[in-house]
């Protein structure tokens, strides 16, 4: 079906599983208050590793969210995604009766590492006991596309499905993919990302990233845009959104929480943070152009906030390059400093926070960060009241992907 560029896409549902909250409302309250939940890692088998601090999702009982049939064949990262998808669908008021056909609903997720915990467990059985002891679900549970498959199977969705594997910025790319799928004629797309990178094998793999922080003090382990920046702290969790045609959402009486206005992705190479300035600026310009948005219309920026001095400098300069003088005046925030970066899930959590910030008229602060050494207006200490109509969300990946997404608050039917 050909694309229909005049069709606007709406976000009508949010579902969050995060270190600071297992429900969207709890997550927002923690983010709004600037709470930091970074702490020492407690996962079994990780105590001997030099990575000491992370954002763990604690108190999550997958059996309370997911049927046993699916639990036995899925990894923790899919448990998060499935739980968040259920919450998002409920928030959007979607049920079998609210969809015209199972073929009218699609699913797209992003993933960076897949099911490390499940894969490690089964490989240990292979090495320690032999191939006959390896479960049959090893072939699918670790796969980065597992969450897309399980969400669609569990809910009976048979529309266009896919997985985005474009580095951490893939979280924003998944939303863009969903929006474009809707514009091509699909009614609804479930879109999101969740990660579970704190299993021992997964953590050992991450230790190869020079950007990873190994500082043992949770309050000093992740301090982007400061002279004490020493890398980022990883995290579990993520978010799922419901993306659908705006007119259709209005007809069925859905609460339109935001509209997806513009997106662009670029690539500048692994750990080449000096070049990410150009790539991120180009992504911002492209997203603004697609949204038909002037730089001065951006009311808040949710920063990538890598926590690496060179990367932070590149991001601050990219904002100035793309937004001009407005780049030093627009409020910037990075709530992820209080929960860590959940790779592909990180920008989805920022999107969820941006949607709620526009709804509540409050810009959440950047936890633990105070002494800013870049020319940006970083919101710190406490939430800042503001009239918010347009938000810019930024993301960069360790392998060189950059993405920018523009969201707008929906003015309502009368203003369209």
């Amino acid at each position: 079906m050909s694309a229909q560029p005049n069709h606007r896409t709406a976000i009508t549902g949010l579902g969050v599983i995060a270190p600071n909250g297992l429900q969207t409302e709890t997550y927002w309250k923690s983010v709004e208050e600037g709470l930091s939940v970074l702490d020492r890692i407690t996962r079994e088998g990780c105590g001997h590793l030099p990575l000491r601090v992370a954002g763990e999702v604690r108190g999550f009982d997958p059996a309370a969210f997911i049927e046993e049939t699916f639990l036995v064949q899925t990894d923790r990262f899919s448990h998060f995604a499935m739980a968040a998808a259920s919450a998002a669908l409920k928030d959007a008021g979607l049920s079998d009766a609210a969809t015209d056909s199972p073929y009218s609903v699609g699913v797209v997720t992003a993933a960076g590492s897949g099911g490390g915990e499940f894969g490690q467990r089964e490989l240990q059985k292979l090495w320690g006991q032999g191939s006959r002891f390896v479960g049959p679900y090893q072939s699918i549970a670790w796969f980065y596309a597992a969450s897309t498959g399980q969400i669609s199977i569990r809910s009976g969705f048979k529309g266009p499905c896919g997985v985005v594997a474009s580095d951490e910025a893939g979280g924003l790319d998944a939303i863009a993919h969903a929006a474009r799928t809707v514009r091509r004629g699909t009614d609804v797309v479930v879109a999101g990302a969740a990660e579970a990178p704190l299993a021992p094998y997964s953590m050992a793999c991450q230790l190869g990233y020079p950007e990873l922080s190994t500082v043992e003090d949770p309050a000093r382990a992740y301090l982007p845009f400061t002279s004490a920046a020493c890398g980022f702290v990883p995290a579990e969790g993520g978010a799922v959104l419901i993306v659908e045609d705006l007119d259709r959402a209005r007809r069925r009486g859905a609460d339109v929480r935001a509209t997806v206005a513009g997106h662009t992705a670029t690539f500048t190479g692994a750990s080449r943070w000096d070049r990410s300035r150009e790539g991120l600026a180009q992504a911002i310009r492209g997203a603004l152009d697609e949204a038909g948005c002037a730089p001065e219309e951006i009311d808040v920026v949710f920063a990538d906030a890598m926590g690496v001095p060179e990367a932070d400098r590149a991001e601050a300069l990219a904002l100035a390059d793309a937004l001009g003088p407005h780049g030093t005046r627009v409020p910037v925030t990075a709530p992820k400093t209080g929960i860590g970066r959940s790779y592909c899930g990180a920008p989805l959590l920022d999107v969820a926070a941006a949607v709620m910030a526009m709804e509540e008229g409050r810009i959440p602060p950047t936890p633990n960060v105070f002494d800013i050494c870049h020319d940006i207006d970083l919101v710190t200490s406490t939430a800042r009241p503001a009239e918010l109509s347009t938000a810019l969300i930024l993301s960069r990946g360790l392998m060189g992907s950059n993405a920018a997404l523009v969201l707008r608050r929906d003015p309502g039917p009368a203003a369209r």
Side-chain angles (χ1 to χ4, degrees):
M1 208 166 187
S2 61
Q4 302 171 56
N6 292 328
H7 280 207
R8 295 172 61 195
T9 49
I11 294 172
T12 56
L14 298 175
V16 169
I17 298 290
N20 61 350
L22 302 183
Q23 296 179 341
T24 304
E25 294 74 16
T26 307
Y27 165 73
W28 168 246
K29 183 176 180 180
S30 297
V31 166
E32 184 184 24
E33 293 179 0
L35 299 180
S36 176
V37 296
L38 298 181
D39 206 344
R40 298 296 292 265
I41 296 170
T42 62
R43 300 293 300 280
E44 183 178 355
C46 299
H48 66 291
L49 297 171
L51 176 61
R52 303 294 189 184
V53 174
E56 287 188 42
V57 173
R58 299 182 179 181
F60 177 78
D61 177 10
F65 296 88
I66 302 161
E67 304 86 341
E68 177 65 23
T69 302
F70 293 97
L71 284 181
V72 299
Q73 55 185 283
T74 48
D75 178 80
R76 185 173 173 87
F77 92 109
S78 292
H79 299 163
F80 292 154
M82 294 167 76
S86 293
L89 287 163
K90 182 178 180 180
D91 184 45
L94 282 174
S95 63
D96 292 340
T99 57
D100 297 330
S101 160
Y103 296 97
S104 67
V105 184
V107 182
V108 59
T109 65
S113 57
E117 184 177 83
F118 195 110
Q120 176 179 337
R121 182 178 67 244
E122 297 304 312
L123 286 175
Q124 286 176 326
K125 292 179 182 177
L126 174 65
W127 297 331
Q129 299 173 271
S131 59
R132 295 180 61 187
F133 292 87
V134 177
Y137 299 117
Q138 165 68 355
S139 61
I140 59 171
W142 68 270
F143 194 40
Y144 62 90
S147 294
T148 290
Q150 296 292 2
I151 291 170
S152 63
I153 292 169
R154 185 186 186 208
S155 298
F157 299 147
K158 300 181 180 181
C161 291
V163 61
V164 178
S166 57
D167 210 353
E168 183 172 327
L172 296 185
D173 296 345
I175 298 175
H177 181 85
R180 288 161 190 161
T181 300
V182 167
R183 290 172 192 152
R184 293 186 182 100
T186 300
D187 288 345
V188 178
V189 178
V190 181
E195 304 266 26
L198 300 184
Y201 171 75
S202 300
M203 287 175 57
C205 292
Q206 291 169 75
L207 289 172
Y209 298 144
E211 295 86 358
L212 192 73
S213 172
T214 55
V215 172
E216 297 191 19
D217 180 357
R220 300 190 59 80
Y222 187 19
L223 301 174
F225 303 116
T226 72
S227 59
C230 53
F232 73 91
V233 166
E236 298 181 303
V240 172
L241 316 177
I242 304 303
V243 179
E244 60 182 302
D245 179 78
L246 179 60
D247 291 335
R248 180 187 183 278
R250 287 291 181 206
R251 286 195 302 271
R252 71 176 187 86
D255 180 16
V256 176
R257 306 196 65 168
T259 60
V260 181
H263 165 271
T264 293
T266 63
F267 180 79
T268 48
S271 297
R272 302 179 72 171
W273 300 118
D274 56 333
R275 293 190 62 183
S276 77
R277 170 184 178 179
E278 177 185 357
L280 190 59
Q282 183 61 33
I284 294 170
R285 293 189 193 101
L288 293 179
D289 183 60
E290 184 175 280
C293 177
E296 295 75 19
E297 293 181 67
I298 298 298
D299 299 312
V300 62
V301 175
F302 282 74
D304 174 63
M306 182 64 69
V308 175
E310 189 178 17
D312 294 343
R313 179 176 182 272
E315 183 169 19
L317 292 173
L319 283 172
D321 292 344
L323 301 182
H326 190 59
T328 60
R329 298 192 299 260
V330 63
V332 177
T333 185
K336 60 172 69 74
T337 62
I339 59 176
R341 295 171 67 93
S342 56
Y343 296 99
C344 287
L348 265 300
L349 288 170
D350 278 347
V351 168
V355 169
M356 289 181 280
M358 289 193 291
E359 290 176 341
E360 300 294 329
R362 291 176 65 80
I363 302 171
T366 306
N368 298 324
V369 175
F370 301 101
D371 300 320
I372 313 307
C373 64
H374 297 280
D375 192 12
I376 58 174
D377 180 17
L378 193 70
V379 179
T380 60
S381 300
T382 59
R384 182 186 300 179
E387 183 69 25
L388 304 174
S389 297
T390 307
L392 174 66
I393 300 93
L394 306 178
S395 183
R396 292 173 297 179
L398 299 174
M399 297 299 105
S401 294
N402 315 286
L405 182 78
V406 175
L407 297 180
R408 288 193 186 270
R409 189 176 64 190
D410 183 54
R416 290 190 285 120

